[in-house]
């Protein structure tokens, strides 16, 4: 058996897409598949993947399209190399780069600069027959700076697309309960013979007399510094939201370092509604780093905020949801003090939790000012969701006899008649851990210990109008750990992760209950709570 390497696809390769590579080696060892920019002797190694065993498939995922990034993988020529590295048992360090041997001839390939959509298909929010549909597509296309024209390839007669990429139409009344479909292409405006990008759009249709939606997919997601720790972070966020068919997502670690800010930028590309914590201080880092994206309208006049939360009034036809996005104090992380490998709330854990402000934030600065809304939750359901930076009292056992007996943030919500949507669907913690922290942070260098993984991102709800049907965590790809390594000094491997965060996202699907009569009282409104 000879050493060999080959591309595991017949499709044209482009930036932003995964590159699958098959390898086969005569002898197992510390081998790798390396990706080089360029096509000659001066080609530069950009990143690599380990190649264990005698054969297998490796993926170069989450590549960049930004040529201004030093570690970008933008259009142009590249080489793949199958290499042997340091011998087993040899100390790793800076010598890793100097101790590689090519096991095969380099495999050249090119990444095209053809335009492409971040996803090949997606479903829109529900539309009402007889009312206009408008779905912008330009924000979902990467064209590498070239002018592009959009055109209809196929689909329903009542749907069309403008040259600028706006899908519009009015569904006939008889189509309710079905779907509208359109396939749209985008091509270089200056070269009609160039390759085209294609996206399929599905529009669910409801009758004017029906509720706008029967189900709602809600997510919470910490963005890991605005998804900037990975290449092409915005594209990866948008792709995940569309492919998971998310209706609204609460975001944390979204700042406004550069106007208009991450939340607005994502919303404009998606064509969604948004609500972001306003800039109140000279330094945006001093503001609450939360925001909300929604496929359904937001009533900004009926929304508000507090020091530790953002409250968003989302309207789904006649139903209004009060969605409260939170990001609790990140200091004094309690699981650091738990016996390794356990979930026991010991006196040491209690002392660590007491040193944080999480309980005070939840009790005095979130639940207390939201009381006028939580008292009416059967009419307007209330969601409190986000990154709590602490686990759940439902998941840990307690070894203390003085308050807090267990994690207070979740206990306070339960005492206020809120339901943990994930545990409502998965009541047995031992069978379904629901870990959200962390798919990439696996080792704590400062503590010299394995990172304690846990469930710290939550979607709580109150009100009889919502019933959780499903709840699950989401991580795409096989993310490399967020750690430093001498061989990654210039280009850390986590930069190429398909998953753009250091948290898993949490997604809950709700059934919306529609009583025949539910009076709409507008007595509670205002921007500040």
């Amino acid at each position: 058996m000879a050493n060999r390497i080959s591309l595991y696809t017949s499709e044209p390769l482009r930036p932003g897409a995964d590159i699958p590579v098959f390898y086969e080696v005569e002898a197992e060892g510390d081998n790798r598949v390396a990706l080089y920019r360029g096509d000659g002797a001066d080609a530069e190694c950009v990143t690599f993947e380990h190649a264990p065993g005698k054969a297998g498939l490796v993926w170069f995922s989450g590549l960049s399209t930004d040529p201004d990034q030093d570690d970008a993988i933008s259009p142009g020529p590249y080489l793949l190399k199958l290499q042997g590295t340091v011998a087993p048992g040899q100390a790793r360090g800076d010598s890793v780069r100097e101790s590689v041997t090519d096991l095969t001839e380099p495999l050249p390939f090119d990444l095209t600069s053809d335009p492409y959509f971040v996803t090949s298909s997606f479903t829109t929010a529900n539309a009402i027959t007889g009312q206009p549909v408008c779905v912008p597509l330009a924000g979902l296309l990467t064209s590498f700076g070239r002018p592009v024209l959009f055109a209809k390839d196929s689909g329903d007669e009542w749907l069309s697309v403008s040259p600028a990429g706006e899908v519009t139409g009015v569904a006939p009344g008889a189509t309710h309960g079905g779907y509208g479909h359109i396939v749209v292409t985008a091509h270089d405006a200056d070269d009609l013979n160039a390759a085209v990008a294609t996206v399929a759009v599905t529009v669910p249709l409801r009758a004017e007399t029906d509720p706008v939606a029967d189900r709602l997919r809600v997510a919470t997601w910490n963005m890991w510094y605005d998804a900037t720790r990975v290449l092409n972070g915005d594209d990866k966020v948008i792709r995940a939201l569309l492919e998971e068919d998310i209706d609204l997502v609460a975001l944390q670690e979204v700042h406004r370092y550069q106007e208009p800010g991450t939340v607005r930028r994502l919303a404009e590309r998606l064509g969604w509604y948004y609500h972001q914590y306003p800039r109140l201080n000279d330094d945006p880092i001093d503001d609450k780093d939360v925001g909300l994206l929604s496929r359904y309208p937001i009533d900004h006049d009926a929304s508000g905020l507090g020091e530790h939360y953002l409250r968003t009034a989302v309207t789904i036809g006649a139903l209004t949801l009060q969605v409260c996005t939170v990001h609790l104090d990140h200091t004094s992380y309690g699981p650091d003090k738990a016996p390794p490998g356990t979930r026991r709330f010991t006196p040491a854990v209690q002392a660590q939790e007491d040193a944080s402000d999480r309980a005070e934030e939840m009790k005095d600065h979130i639940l207390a000012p939201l009381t006028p809304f939580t008292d009416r939750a059967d009419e307007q359901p209330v969601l409190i969701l986000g990154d709590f930076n602490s686990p759940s009292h439902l998941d840990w056992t307690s070894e203390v006899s003085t308050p807090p007996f267990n994690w207070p943030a979740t206990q306070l919500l339960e005492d206020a008649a809120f339901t943990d949507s994930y545990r409502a669907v998965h009541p047995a913690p031992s069978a379904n851990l629901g870990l959200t922290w962390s798919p990439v942070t696996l080792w704590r260098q400062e503590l010299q210990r394995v990172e304690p993984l846990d469930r710290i991102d939550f979607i709580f709800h109150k009100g009889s109008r919502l019933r959780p049907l499903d709840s699950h965590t989401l991580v795409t790809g096989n993310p490399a750990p967020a750690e430093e390594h001498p061989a990654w000094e210039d280009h850390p491997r986590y930069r190429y992760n398909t998953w753009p965060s250091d948290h898993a996202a949490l997604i809950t699907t709700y059934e919306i209950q529609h009583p025949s009569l539910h009076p709409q009282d507008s007595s509670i409104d205002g921007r500040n709570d």
Side-chain angles (χ1 to χ4, degrees):
M1 179 181 66
N3 298 328
R4 65 190 180 104
I5 186 174
S6 61
L7 287 167
Y8 204 66
T9 179
S10 60
E11 298 295 322
L13 295 171
R14 61 167 176 77
D18 293 339
I19 299 176
V21 184
F22 176 78
Y23 67 89
E24 194 171 15
V25 293
E26 293 179 324
E28 296 186 42
D30 194 3
N31 303 317
R32 73 183 198 179
V33 177
L35 180 66
Y36 282 72
R37 181 190 294 111
D39 56 2
D42 59 348
E44 175 192 9
C45 182
V46 180
T47 186
F48 66 88
E49 291 288 344
H50 293 291
K54 287 193 172 184
L57 192 67
V58 299
W59 295 79
F60 292 99
S61 300
L63 307 180
S64 176
T65 58
D66 183 357
D68 293 330
Q69 295 272 6
D70 290 340
D71 49 356
I73 313 249
S74 48
Y78 290 85
L79 297 173
L80 286 166
K81 296 184 180 182
L82 179 61
Q83 299 175 326
T85 62
V86 291
Q90 181 176 337
R92 290 176 175 267
D94 292 331
S95 62
V96 170
R97 294 184 183 181
E98 302 170 0
S99 304
V100 296
T101 302
D102 292 345
L103 303 179
T104 63
E105 290 294 318
L107 175 64
F109 69 96
D110 290 309
L111 292 182
T112 75
S113 60
D114 296 332
Y116 70 91
F117 289 98
V118 297
T119 186
S120 60
S121 64
F122 68 96
T123 300
T124 71
N126 293 345
I128 304 299
T129 56
Q131 297 183 11
V133 169
C134 181
V135 184
L137 298 179
L140 308 183
L141 182 79
T142 295
S143 61
F144 301 100
R146 301 198 304 275
V148 172
L149 292 176
F150 295 81
K152 180 177 180 177
D153 179 78
S154 61
D156 296 325
E157 290 185 4
W158 63 271
L159 282 171
S160 61
V161 64
S162 71
E166 192 170 81
V167 173
T168 57
V170 177
T175 59
H176 68 84
Y179 299 87
H181 296 282
I182 185 171
V183 177
V184 174
T185 61
H187 62 269
D188 192 318
D190 298 326
D191 183 1
L192 299 182
N193 295 318
V196 300
T198 304
V199 64
V201 182
T202 299
V203 184
L205 300 171
R206 309 280 290 183
E208 291 184 84
T209 56
D210 290 338
V212 171
D214 293 321
R215 294 191 179 187
L216 191 72
R217 284 175 69 81
V218 178
T220 184
W221 196 0
N222 182 303
M223 286 287 94
W224 198 16
Y225 297 108
D226 300 87
T228 59
R229 293 300 180 94
V230 299
L231 294 168
N232 269 32
D234 281 6
D235 280 5
K236 296 166 187 175
V237 172
I238 290 170
R239 182 183 300 119
L241 295 176
L242 292 177
E243 292 183 349
E244 286 294 313
D245 199 21
I246 302 300
D247 291 308
L248 60 91
V249 55
L251 302 177
Q252 305 87 47
E253 284 195 31
V254 284
H255 301 86
R256 300 181 70 174
Y257 296 118
Q258 294 180 337
E259 297 293 353
T262 300
V263 180
R264 178 177 171 182
R265 186 175 66 250
L266 290 171
E268 290 176 344
R269 288 190 60 185
L270 284 160
W272 289 14
Y273 303 90
Y274 73 95
H275 190 201
Q276 63 184 4
Y277 202 90
R279 184 162 181 173
L280 303 177
N281 300 284
D282 292 337
D283 187 349
I285 198 66
D286 294 330
D287 294 324
K288 204 66 182 175
D289 58 351
V290 297
L292 189 89
L293 298 172
S294 173
R295 296 202 301 189
Y296 292 102
I298 290 172
D299 185 343
H300 287 275
D301 291 334
S303 299
L305 59 94
E307 182 182 359
H308 292 285
Y309 67 91
L310 180 72
R311 181 181 58 79
T312 308
V314 178
T315 59
I316 307 173
L319 176 66
T320 297
L321 301 177
Q322 299 293 342
V323 184
C324 304
T325 305
V326 305
H327 189 188
L328 301 186
D329 180 13
H330 70 279
T331 65
S332 302
Y333 186 56
D336 287 344
K337 299 300 182 179
T342 72
R343 289 186 171 84
R344 300 204 307 266
F345 196 82
T346 64
V349 175
Q350 183 186 48
Q352 183 85 333
E353 179 62 20
D354 284 344
S356 82
D357 293 329
R358 288 181 284 270
E360 179 184 353
E361 287 175 354
M362 183 59 73
K363 180 181 179 181
D364 298 332
H365 302 290
I366 297 174
L367 284 173
L370 289 175
T371 299
F373 300 93
T374 57
D375 285 348
R376 299 181 58 232
D378 284 336
E379 298 172 31
Q380 295 187 4
V382 179
L383 296 168
I384 295 180
L385 67 174
D387 176 4
F388 285 21
N389 278 308
S390 67
S392 169
H393 69 286
L394 298 176
D395 300 352
W396 284 53
T397 58
S398 180
E399 296 182 3
V400 298
S401 56
T402 57
F405 302 107
N406 214 312
W407 300 109
T410 57
Q411 182 67 65
L412 286 164
L413 282 166
E414 183 179 276
D415 293 344
F418 278 81
T419 298
D420 179 339
S421 65
Y422 185 83
R423 278 288 162 253
V425 177
H426 307 288
S430 59
N432 296 279
L433 296 176
L435 302 179
T436 59
W437 177 261
S438 163
V440 300
T441 302
L442 307 177
W443 175 260
R444 289 286 291 282
Q445 184 66 26
E446 68 273 22
L447 299 179
Q448 285 294 295
R449 62 167 287 179
V450 172
E451 175 70 21
L453 307 183
D454 221 300
R455 187 170 71 101
I456 67 171
D457 299 84
F458 301 91
I459 300 174
F460 278 82
H461 66 274
K462 183 177 183 180
S464 57
R465 301 285 300 276
L466 296 180
R467 184 171 73 91
L469 300 176
D470 175 72
S471 190
H472 66 276
T473 61
L474 176 70
V475 175
T476 57
N478 185 27
E483 61 186 31
E484 301 303 324
H485 188 289
W488 307 345
E489 182 177 334
D490 294 332
H491 310 313
R493 289 179 64 232
Y494 64 78
R495 292 272 289 158
Y496 303 90
N497 285 348
T498 299
W499 188 245
S501 177
D502 58 348
H503 286 240
L506 176 64
I507 302 169
T508 295
T509 301
Y510 286 104
E511 179 183 46
I512 301 175
Q513 307 289 325
H514 294 291
S516 57
L517 293 174
H518 46 277
Q520 301 298 308
D521 183 352
S522 59
S523 60
I524 297 181
D525 55 19
R527 298 192 60 83
N528 296 295
D529 301 330

